[in-house]
Amino acid sequence: MNDSNYIKIYTGDLIIVQRIVSELEKLNIIPVLKDQTDSGLLPIFGTSNSILKQVYVHKDELDKSTPIIESITSQLKD
């Protein structure tokens, strides 16, 4: 995987990240997760003990991913 083709769209706790992943997968977008403490990217089925996760999507899927992130994060503020 070429990291330059992926863009970070969210950093947060695992529960919110799992919700984001679920919504993205409904759009056939397969995100890549990275622990803030790790140096490498992990596919979504990777395991780790870190609480904060970073969600990356391929740059070609950014336009489809942004509304999902905005919807979920706006619900968190309410």
Side-chain angles (χ1 to χ4, degrees), residues 73-78:
T73 56
S74 70
Q75 291 172 16
L76 295 173
K77 295 176 186 175
D78 294 337

Side-chain angles (χ1 to χ4, degrees), residues 9 19-31 57 60-69 71-72:
I9 58 170
R19 183 170 169 205
I20 290 169
V21 167
S22 175
E23 293 300 315
L24 291 173
E25 288 177 339
K26 290 177 185 177
L27 298 175
N28 292 320
I29 298 171
I30 305 301
V57 295
D60 294 342
E61 298 173 323
L62 181 62
D63 290 342
K64 291 185 346 186
S65 302
T66 302
I68 298 294
I69 300 304
S71 173
I72 291 172

Side-chain angles (χ1 to χ4, degrees), residues 7 11 15-16 22 28 38 45 53 58 66 78:
I7 298 171
T11 300
I15 293 170
I16 311 265
S22 175
N28 292 320
D38 287 349
F45 49 83
K53 302 283 187 186
H58 194 274
T66 302
D78 294 337

Side-chain angles (χ1 to χ4, degrees), residues 24-53:
L24 291 173
E25 288 177 339
K26 290 177 185 177
L27 298 175
N28 292 320
I29 298 171
I30 305 301
V32 176
L33 302 184
K34 179 182 176 186
D35 289 331
Q36 279 195 317
T37 57
D38 287 349
S39 60
L41 295 174
L42 298 172
I44 59 171
F45 49 83
T47 59
S48 178
N49 295 327
S50 176
I51 295 172
L52 290 181
K53 302 283 187 186

